[in-house]
Amino acid sequence: MKRLAAVLVVLTLACSHQRVVTTEAPKGVVQGIVTDNTGTALPGVTVTLFTTPPRIVVTDAQGTFQIIGVPPGRYEVRPHLSGFNGRSYYVPVAGETGTSLRMTMNMGTVSEAITVTAEAPGFGSVARTSYNYAAMELRAPEPSYAKFHDHAFIDARKERTTTFAIDVDRASYANVRRMITSGLVVPPDAVRIEELVNYFPWSYPQPEGNAPFSVTTEVAGCPWKPEHRLLRVGIQGRALEQWKMAPNNLVFLIDVSGSMDTPSRLPLLRSAFRVLVDELRAEDRVSIVVYAGAAGLVLPPTSGADKATIDAALNSLEAGGSTAGGAGIELAYEVAKQNFIEEGNNRVILATDGDFNVGVRGAAALEKLIEQQRKSEIFLSVLGVGDDNYQDDAMETLADKGNGNYFYLDSQQEADKVFRHELTGTLVTIARDVKVQLELDPAKVASYRQIGYENRALQNKDFDDDEKDAGELGAGHSVTALFEIVPVSADMRGEIATLRLRYKEPRGANSVPLTTTIVDEGKSAYEASADMQFAAAVAQFGMLLRNSPHKGSATWDDVLSLAKVATGADLDGTRKEFVAIAERARTIR
């Protein structure tokens, strides 16, 4: 009777609820540990949960991982670590309970050993022990910048000609801004004056005729050395309407190692890439490759029109583990090659803090790989993020070898600037291997020096060598170069130099020459154009940060007064921001 009564109560309760409320099934958690066949925990293992799109995490120093928010179902889970053999596991996920998993990997061929220590509490008794495994580096290095010295003055009677490759990178300015805004002293080698100057838009005219760019020159007084003259050379690339641009085959190569697990790194990159995705068209396609302990393909080639799928793949990225940058670059190039678009723009976009090892290839071999892919018309652009372990020198080198550009993201505002405007132009190269050669007249010029471009200098014989790599110019991009000139006499006027340029068409093998003359009309620094004055202020700013031996009488007050006078229309607000940064910089000691 009691059992019958209980049944009647249940039936009564069920019948009393006429409405059925449908709720979304609760999502679960997949967590676990990865060990070798002796039970030793393995950090840096890439673990892929094959949902749609796949979820990818990397095991931590204790060999553990966790993937949350997994819809109910049965899924394949697969570990991957270079030098080890792993197999797939299949796990059910139901409700809000966690699914725990222990995965074992057997050691394969190990090419390079580095000792790490791992412990795995909470998953049984795994003793602390040492283990050797391939090409991993767990300790974050200090920030690293390539060392260089400012160009010295050259006697025009001994050497009247100088040659350099153009550079439209802007990473140095954004990184310097980050440090100054944070109240940090800026390392001199972090300051590349040409990148500071080229950060700003300039009022150069669009090209006329068949040339892909226009050339503008101006000579005026030198603010920090009144007895000297300042020469500005401006190159303006032709702007193209988006509908005229060739289709893009883009591979986003994103660092998801443990060092990327801060708001200013991986989360910023996810947000930044969405800005670029919003600009893509149906004929464009995107693939996403990630790397940490190993490299993996997160998103196969997807149309730019399928923005939801691309966004979902970006949202799935989580950071953790060590960094195998070399393997990531190799896989990204392979994906780009498999989906190559003839007559299209084929490019890998590497996003990282630069804290990565190059794997079994080594740095020289990796650079050679990038150069080879460049010859195959697959280019490499680099986006830097981060602070304490920021590897600026490595990222600049990779971008240079890959015929790409190098940017640094310190904020969402900078991400919008780079991804919505600058990077889309960079994707379309309108002139390759652009070289500039300046020949001074020794009768008018006693000596001269280039301001910046120290790592872009070429030998004069390289100018006519079509095999010599140089800089690329993207659609709508501009390039500015400054020279400080010591005149033979104070009343120097007239033609003082010849400017020669060589460039190749985007798919051309032979370079095209251009020549123009440079005239000094005797203008003082205060009679110069607003662009010339502002460029001079930025150059002084850089020389003060570097404590350049050529800074002359430059002071922070001089920088600020000149920049304020030359702010002009400032449509994007970058010049007013520069004034604020310079104000802050002079208080940092």
Side-chain angles (χ1 to χ4, degrees):
M1 293 295 293
K2 290 182 179 179
R3 181 178 297 174
L4 177 60
V7 172
L8 290 173
V9 169
V10 172
L11 290 173
T12 302
L13 290 173
C15 293
S16 67
H17 292 276
Q18 297 292 326
R19 298 171 58 193
V20 176
V21 179
T22 302
T23 59
E24 182 181 356
K27 295 183 178 181
V29 177
V30 176
Q31 61 187 8
I33 183 171
V34 184
T35 69
D36 70 356
N37 53 10
T38 69
T40 303
L42 295 178
V45 178
T46 300
V47 178
T48 303
L49 177 72
F50 287 90
T51 56
T52 305
R55 300 281 298 279
I56 296 177
V57 296
V58 179
T59 58
D60 60 19
Q62 287 75 44
T64 64
F65 67 92
Q66 184 181 70
I67 304 172
I68 63 175
V70 181
R74 188 170 183 270
Y75 299 99
E76 177 187 0
V77 183
R78 186 186 304 158
H80 178 84
L81 179 63
S82 180
F84 289 81
N85 298 318
R87 65 181 180 86
S88 292
Y89 294 74
Y90 294 85
V91 297
V93 177
E96 297 178 345
T97 59
T99 300
S100 294
L101 182 64
R102 178 184 288 270
M103 296 189 288
T104 302
M105 303 185 74
N106 296 318
M107 185 172 66
T109 303
V110 179
S111 58
E112 180 180 350
I114 296 177
T115 302
V116 299
T117 302
E119 185 180 35
F123 288 87
S125 56
V126 180
R128 178 176 291 274
T129 183
S130 293
Y131 192 78
N132 292 337
Y133 62 97
M136 305 292 288
E137 175 58 68
L138 298 181
R139 189 186 315 162
E142 294 297 317
S144 178
Y145 300 96
K147 295 188 179 298
F148 63 93
H149 298 286
D150 292 17
H151 283 303
F153 279 96
I154 299 172
D155 187 333
R157 292 170 299 178
K158 296 179 180 178
E159 181 54 78
R160 61 194 296 172
T161 303
T162 185
T163 305
F164 67 99
I166 67 164
D167 185 10
V168 294
D169 292 344
R170 297 170 172 86
S172 180
Y173 182 85
N175 187 34
V176 165
R177 175 179 60 198
R178 171 189 62 81
M179 288 186 276
I180 291 174
T181 302
S182 301
L184 302 175
V185 174
V186 179
D189 290 324
V191 182
R192 294 185 290 274
I193 295 179
E194 74 278 8
E195 294 187 25
L196 307 189
V197 172
N198 280 300
Y199 183 83
F200 301 91
W202 306 103
S203 302
Y204 299 134
Q206 280 289 303
E208 298 178 355
N210 296 325
F213 53 80
S214 67
V215 180
T216 301
T217 63
E218 184 176 6
V219 184
C222 180
W224 58 89
K225 276 276 191 178
E227 66 273 24
H228 292 182
R229 309 292 288 166
L230 190 64
L231 164 63
R232 178 172 64 115
V233 176
I235 299 172
Q236 176 62 56
R238 187 185 303 279
L240 298 178
E241 297 292 338
Q242 190 177 48
W243 65 270
K244 294 182 180 179
M245 295 182 181
N248 297 298
N249 167 33
L250 306 179
V251 180
F252 298 168
L253 173 57
I254 303 176
D255 182 352
V256 294
S257 62
S259 64
M260 297 291 289
D261 193 19
T262 65
S264 63
R265 301 187 190 190
L266 183 57
L268 176 59
L269 286 174
R270 281 198 300 254
S271 177
F273 273 111
R274 289 190 197 100
V275 176
L276 177 57
V277 171
D278 286 344
E279 300 295 313
L280 297 179
R281 308 156 299 176
E283 59 266 37
D284 301 323
R285 54 189 182 222
V286 170
S287 307
I288 299 179
V289 171
V290 299
Y291 66 91
L297 178 64
V298 174
L299 180 73
T302 302
S303 167
D306 192 358
K307 302 185 189 305
T309 298
I310 302 173
D311 285 345
L314 290 170
N315 288 335
S316 73
L317 303 182
E318 299 179 28
S322 303
T323 320
I329 291 175
E330 290 186 80
L331 177 58
Y333 274 125
E334 184 62 30
V335 173
K337 186 189 303 181
Q338 290 174 359
N339 301 281
F340 190 86
I341 300 177
E342 294 290 344
E343 304 302 324
N345 303 305
N346 300 277
R347 187 175 297 265
V348 174
I349 303 176
L350 167 63
T352 178
D353 58 10
D355 176 14
F356 65 99
N357 65 67
V358 296
V360 297
R361 277 183 171 271
L366 183 60
E367 291 176 14
K368 184 176 181 180
L369 167 70
I370 293 171
E371 290 176 341
Q372 289 172 342
Q373 296 297 334
R374 177 186 75 205
K375 294 176 182 177
S376 300
E377 301 297 329
I378 300 175
F379 299 152
L380 175 72
S381 291
V382 179
L383 300 165
V385 292
D387 42 35
D388 56 313
N389 62 341
Y390 185 53
Q391 303 300 292
D392 175 86
D393 51 351
M395 291 187 283
E396 184 188 18
T397 297
L398 294 180
D400 288 347
K401 298 294 183 183
N403 267 14
N405 300 109
Y406 169 34
F407 303 94
Y408 178 83
L409 305 183
D410 61 338
S411 65
Q412 183 60 47
Q413 181 180 355
E414 183 66 13
D416 289 340
K417 179 177 183 288
V418 168
F419 278 82
R420 200 177 304 282
H421 304 293
E422 296 173 0
L423 190 56
T424 51
T426 302
L427 297 178
V428 183
T429 299
I430 61 173
R432 291 193 304 114
D433 292 338
V434 183
K435 305 170 189 174
V436 182
Q437 187 171 80
L438 183 68
E439 182 179 350
L440 287 303
D441 181 356
K444 300 284 183 66
V445 175
S447 60
Y448 62 96
R449 77 177 193 94
Q450 188 170 15
I451 302 172
Y453 288 91
E454 285 82 4
N455 59 2
R456 288 287 188 165
L458 298 175
Q459 297 185 43
N460 289 330
K461 65 180 182 179
D462 294 335
F463 184 71
D464 295 317
D465 183 0
D466 282 351
E467 296 300 314
K468 185 68 176 181
D469 182 57
E472 276 59 52
L473 186 66
H477 282 181
S478 65
V479 179
T480 298
L482 299 173
F483 292 84
E484 185 175 351
I485 292 173
V486 180
V488 170
S489 62
D491 59 348
M492 180 178 72
R493 298 287 190 279
E495 294 184 8
I496 63 168
T498 299
L499 184 69
R500 290 185 284 268
L501 300 97
R502 295 188 78 91
Y503 71 92
K504 296 175 186 172
E505 297 290 344
R507 298 187 180 276
N510 300 318
S511 60
V512 179
L514 291 176
T515 302
T516 187
T517 57
I518 297 174
V519 177
D520 187 347
E521 298 174 344
K523 292 189 292 187
S524 70
Y526 302 100
E527 294 172 317
S529 67
D531 274 3
M532 180 73 155
Q533 291 178 336
F534 194 82
V538 176
Q540 286 185 92
F541 172 82
M543 287 190 288
L544 288 170
L545 289 176
R546 285 187 56 77
N547 192 27
S548 170
H550 306 297
K551 66 181 184 295
S553 63
T555 66
W556 289 111
D557 285 340
D558 293 336
V559 171
L560 288 163
S561 61
L562 195 56
K564 289 176 181 177
V565 167
T567 299
D570 193 27
L571 298 178
D572 63 354
T574 53
R575 295 193 182 191
K576 289 186 178 68
E577 180 191 62
F578 172 81
V579 171
I581 292 170
E583 289 274 15
R584 174 74 167 140
R586 70 172 174 177
T587 67
I588 299 173
R589 296 291 184 269

